């Protein structure tokens, strides 16, 4: 038996049901979330876009000064450690904001799209210490505002951001025949050129060659990052001169203003292979590991007709009958699983904010020192709270293999059942379910929780098992561990 359209809309195309929140009634309701989401200020970076740029550039300046002093024989280990602590603290605050955004936002489809595109254009906070501050800025600045417009605009915003250039070492790439290339041994870096073709646009197996990868990389030379302003800049001394041939077009920079990379991105966005690659990936993410070909084709047709208008591509997916059939085809990724779990518990925002404060209790500082003065017991209690809060959020995502903004590679996180159905993965999910049930579900009736979490998506067999649970914690654990809750 298929669940109702609103239930499936919330589970398959959002982050799950939440008590008291009306689920979307149809495709139009889902699409309406995009405009609302774009206009909404996200919960990260914590100090806003301008404030984050100021924070990040300040930390970058301090680290540069410390590195210069160290080379001169005057290292300042304390200063270096303090900047490391500051960057890590900022990352944790932003990551909790990212989790809270997904839990508390009523715009589930928009939030899922933001997650999809941030993963499609993957960057990682683990690349370097400054990236702990830059990657959250990247999602808020380049991804979220552009997921309802043209793919060309989104592509340019994602590729031409400091986070992407730093992550894929484009800021170190030099044209072999450029002014700088002829003067020193620095050479071409093909990381961004390769991922641009393979992951971001055309897709593997679309017919491009290694020569095309090199050509794209050459066209991208000259792009670098100004750490003082945290902006992408074009440095002609690093750029390879034209003409450069890519996929049958010659890029010669006729205007001499370093615009070839913009023209290349526009051409790649308009390439039919890009339409098919990205449409299939979207359908695979939302509908099934092997998406219905007729859905993919409808999305490609909408892409072509609208010249890459992403809202029209989403519309083609959401209005196709196959998008609403055969529920349970996808396994929730760990982030989806934990977010949908918290949503089912209807965790108030103030309670989630307390989790962050508990985690921050691990840090030394005024609060930590005050606890020391209050006695050892208070400090031990704080550590226990911090450990529990971490185990419910960061620690759980780490153990399940999907920590926030830490993809394993530029290809992002895996989006197929085999990766998330391993015995160790299921064991971690059951452990988290048991833990969160003990902490949040002591006073909840399992049958009521089942209705809140799954509504009419719960199978009769699951309803029977939950009704026979020996206690509340066991019953709620079984709801979270059920096949229906782990699939969408």
């Amino acid at each position: 038996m298929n669940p109702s359209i609103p239930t499936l809309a919330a589970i398959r195309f959002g982050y799950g049901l939440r008590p008291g929140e009306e689920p979307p009634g149809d495709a139009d309701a889902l699409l309406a979330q995009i405009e609302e989401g774009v206009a909404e200020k996200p919960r990260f970076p914590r100090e806003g876009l301008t404030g984050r740029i100021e924070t990040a550039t300040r930390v970058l300046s301090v680290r540069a000064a410390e590195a210069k002093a160290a080379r001169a024989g005057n290292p300042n280990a304390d200063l270096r450690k303090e900047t490391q602590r500051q960057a890590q603290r900022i990352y944790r605050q932003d990551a909790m904001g990212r989790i809270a955004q997904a839990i508390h936002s009523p715009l589930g489809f928009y939030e899922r799209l933001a997650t999809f595109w941030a993963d499609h254009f993957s960057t990682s906070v683990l690349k370097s210490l400054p990236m702990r501050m830059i990657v959250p800025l990247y999602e808020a600045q380049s991804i979220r505002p552009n997921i309802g417009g043209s793919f060309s605009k989104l592509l340019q915003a994602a590729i031409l951001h400091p986070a992407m250039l730093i992550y894929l070492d484009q800021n170190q790439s030099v044209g072999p025949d450029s002014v700088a290339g002829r003067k020193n041994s620095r050479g071409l870096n093909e990381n961004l050129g390769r991922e641009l073709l393979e992951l971001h646009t055309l897709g593997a197996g679309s017919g491009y060659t290694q020569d095309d990868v090199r050509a794209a990389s050459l066209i991208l030379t000259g792009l670098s990052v100004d750490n003082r302003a945290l902006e992408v800049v074009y440095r002609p001394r690093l750029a390879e001169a034209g003409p450069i041939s890519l996929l049958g077009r010659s890029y010669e920079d006729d205007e001499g203003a370093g615009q070839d990379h913009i023209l290349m991105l526009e051409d790649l966005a308009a390439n039919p292979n890009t339409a098919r690659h990205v449409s299939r990936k979207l359908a695979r993410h939302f509908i099934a590991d092997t998406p219905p070909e007729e859905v993919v084709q409808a999305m490609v047709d909408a892409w072509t007709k609208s010249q890459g208008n992403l809202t029209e591509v989403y519309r083609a997916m959401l209005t196709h009958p196959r998008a609403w059939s055969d529920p349970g085809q996808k396994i929730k990724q760990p982030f989806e699983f934990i977010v949908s779990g918290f949503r089912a518990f209807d965790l108030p925002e103030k309670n989630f904010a307390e989790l962050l404060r508990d985690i921050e209790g691990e840090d030394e500082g005024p609060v930590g020192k005050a606890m020391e003065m209050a006695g050892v017991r208070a400090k031990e209690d704080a550590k226990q709270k911090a450990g529990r809060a971490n185990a419910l959020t960061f620690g759980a995502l780490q153990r399940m293999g999907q920590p926030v903004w830490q993809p394993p590679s530029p290809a992002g996180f895996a989006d197929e059942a085999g990766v998330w159905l391993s015995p160790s993965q299921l064991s971690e999910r059951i452990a988290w379910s048991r833990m969160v049930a003990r902490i949040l579900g002591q006073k909840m009736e399992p049958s009521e929780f089942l209705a809140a979490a799954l509504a009419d998506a719960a199978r009769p067999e699951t309803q029977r098992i939950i009704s026979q649970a020996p206690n509340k914690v066991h019953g709620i654990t079984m709801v979270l561990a059920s096949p229906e809750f782990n699939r969408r």
Side-chain angles (χ1 to χ4, degrees):
M1 181 180 71
N2 283 351
S4 65
I5 292 296
T7 298
L8 191 55
I11 293 175
R12 174 171 281 182
F13 298 108
Y15 276 117
L17 295 161
R18 183 183 177 95
E21 184 178 292
E22 190 71 23
D26 54 23
D28 287 339
L30 290 169
L31 292 168
Q33 294 181 12
I34 298 173
E35 188 174 348
E36 289 186 62
V38 168
E40 185 181 67
K41 180 183 176 182
R43 297 164 187 257
F44 59 92
R46 191 169 185 179
E47 65 271 49
L49 302 183
T50 302
R52 172 51 51 84
I53 292 172
E54 292 174 354
T55 301
T57 52
R58 183 173 66 250
V59 172
L60 284 166
S61 297
V62 170
R63 285 183 66 80
E66 191 279 328
K68 183 177 180 180
R71 289 193 297 270
N74 300 305
N76 188 332
D78 290 340
L79 180 60
R80 187 172 184 83
K81 288 179 181 177
E82 178 54 34
T83 57
Q84 290 172 341
R85 280 196 295 267
Q86 182 182 5
Q88 186 63 18
R89 187 182 306 117
I90 288 171
Y91 161 67
R92 283 203 306 269
Q93 292 170 344
D94 283 346
M96 286 294 277
R98 181 68 179 82
I99 298 169
Q101 180 84 22
I103 292 172
H104 298 298
S105 175
L107 310 176
F109 181 56
Y110 172 79
E111 290 300 321
R112 284 280 304 283
L113 285 171
T115 300
F116 170 86
W117 287 114
D119 193 65
H120 180 77
F121 295 109
S122 276
T123 59
S124 173
V125 298
L126 299 182
K127 177 67 176 183
S128 65
L129 188 74
M131 288 285 274
R132 286 164 172 74
M133 297 171 286
I134 297 171
V135 170
L137 175 69
Y138 164 71
E139 180 177 331
Q141 194 174 45
S142 292
I143 302 297
R144 287 177 166 264
N146 295 302
I147 59 181
S150 72
F151 178 75
S152 180
K153 185 177 179 181
L154 174 59
L155 177 67
Q156 291 179 47
I159 299 301
L160 304 179
H161 191 278
M164 184 64 74
L165 268 59
I166 294 170
Y167 179 51
L168 293 177
D169 302 313
Q170 182 61 35
N171 56 329
Q172 301 175 20
S173 185
V174 177
D177 198 36
S178 66
V179 173
R182 292 193 297 268
K183 287 186 176 181
N184 59 49
S185 58
R186 290 174 62 189
L188 183 67
N189 187 296
E190 296 184 355
N191 288 353
L192 182 55
R194 177 176 296 103
E195 309 308 356
L196 174 63
L197 301 186
E198 179 180 337
L199 302 177
H200 304 147
T201 58
L202 307 179
S206 58
Y208 69 85
T209 67
Q210 174 57 34
D211 288 342
D212 293 320
V213 170
R214 180 175 177 81
S217 303
L218 289 170
I219 293 168
L220 290 166
T221 56
L223 293 174
S224 190
V225 177
D226 179 357
N227 288 334
R228 293 170 299 179
L230 205 60
E231 293 178 347
V232 171
V233 295
Y234 182 75
R235 305 191 192 281
R237 294 182 71 258
L238 308 179
E240 186 80 359
I244 302 168
S245 179
L246 171 65
L247 299 172
R249 173 167 178 173
S250 181
Y251 296 85
E252 301 186 31
D253 193 17
D254 293 335
E255 299 176 3
Q259 295 299 301
D260 271 2
H261 59 277
I262 300 292
L263 297 175
M264 175 182 67
L265 294 176
E266 290 174 347
D267 288 342
L268 290 173
N271 191 295
N273 287 317
T274 297
R276 182 158 294 279
H277 170 62
V278 177
S279 295
R280 181 174 295 280
K281 190 173 179 181
L282 274 163
R284 185 174 70 236
H285 176 73
F286 282 102
I287 300 174
D289 287 358
T290 303
E293 186 56 39
E294 57 266 41
V295 177
V296 176
Q297 187 59 53
M299 295 167 72
V300 172
D301 291 343
W303 185 303
T304 303
K305 184 177 180 180
S306 68
Q307 296 183 319
N309 184 302
L310 291 172
T311 296
E312 294 307 309
V313 176
Y314 310 145
R315 188 187 309 278
M317 175 179 71
L318 293 172
T319 56
H320 198 286
R322 291 293 300 275
W324 301 91
S325 63
D326 301 321
Q329 295 299 299
K330 292 291 295 186
I331 296 295
K332 291 180 182 177
Q333 296 177 331
F335 185 84
E336 296 174 58
F337 170 72
I338 287 176
V339 165
S340 58
F342 277 124
R343 283 178 60 81
F345 279 107
D346 196 20
L347 187 70
E349 293 201 38
K350 64 182 181 65
N351 291 33
F352 197 83
E354 287 174 5
L355 291 179
L356 175 59
R357 287 195 291 273
D358 289 341
I359 291 174
E360 290 299 294
E362 294 178 315
D363 292 333
E364 295 180 3
V367 175
K369 293 185 183 302
M371 286 184 174
E372 278 190 60
M373 294 174 65
V376 175
R377 179 64 182 174
K379 190 171 183 180
E380 288 178 351
D381 288 345
K383 285 186 175 180
Q384 288 178 356
K385 284 185 176 180
R388 184 176 68 179
N390 184 73
L392 285 173
T393 54
F394 298 123
L397 288 169
Q398 187 79 45
R399 291 191 305 274
M400 293 181 193
Q402 199 177 28
V404 180
W405 294 311
Q406 296 181 36
S409 76
F413 292 104
D415 196 9
E416 54 191 18
V419 175
W420 307 118
L421 272 181
S422 67
S424 61
Q425 173 72 213
L426 295 177
S427 176
E428 290 293 348
R429 294 191 184 209
I430 292 171
W432 185 86
S433 300
R434 187 179 297 116
M435 176 172 56
V436 77
R438 285 201 310 268
I439 295 171
L440 300 179
Q442 293 279 1
K443 298 179 180 181
M444 303 183 78
E445 288 296 330
S447 59
E448 294 177 3
F449 182 73
L450 177 65
L454 291 170
D456 56 342
R459 297 175 303 157
E461 177 67 9
T462 299
Q463 294 172 1
R464 183 186 64 79
I465 291 172
I466 300 306
S467 69
Q468 297 173 354
N471 55 61
K472 293 179 180 179
V473 170
H474 183 84
I476 290 172
T477 300
M478 293 302 293
V479 173
L480 296 171
S482 68
E484 297 98 305
F485 191 82
N486 282 267
R487 292 179 175 272
R488 52 172 176 78

